[in-house]
Amino acid sequence: MIIINGKKVKNPRNIKNLLKLYRFPSNVAIIVNGELIKKNDWSKFVIKDNDVIDVLSFVGGG
């Protein structure tokens, strides 16, 4: 189990799977345990049990 945006969920094992499984858009920022993960590293980044992940989306405005 991991925590995504404050909710406990099943570990999808990598960020690409996380985005697909939990239907997040691809234009987000991913922070794992307080560290920003570069988009180029998403497919190879291994998510471990008990990781805390924040998925941040960008909202335009003025």
Side-chain angles (χ1 to χ4, degrees), residues 20-61:
K20 185 176 181 180
L21 184 63
Y22 298 107
R23 298 184 180 174
F24 287 107
S26 61
N27 59 339
V28 294
I30 304 290
I31 299 172
V32 179
N33 301 324
E35 182 179 337
L36 178 67
I37 308 302
K38 294 180 182 178
K39 194 169 188 171
N40 291 340
D41 296 333
W42 286 3
S43 61
K44 59 187 173 187
F45 186 89
V46 177
I47 298 172
K48 297 178 240 38
D49 284 339
N50 300 313
D51 277 348
V52 177
I53 300 173
D54 293 304
V55 180
L56 307 174
S57 59
F58 301 97
V59 178

Side-chain angles (χ1 to χ4, degrees), residues 2-10 12 18 22 24 51-55:
I2 62 170
I3 296 175
I4 300 175
N5 294 347
K7 295 182 183 179
K8 253 187 171 178
V9 297
K10 183 179 174 186
L18 178 149
Y22 298 107
F24 287 107
D51 277 348
V52 177
I53 300 173
D54 293 304
V55 180

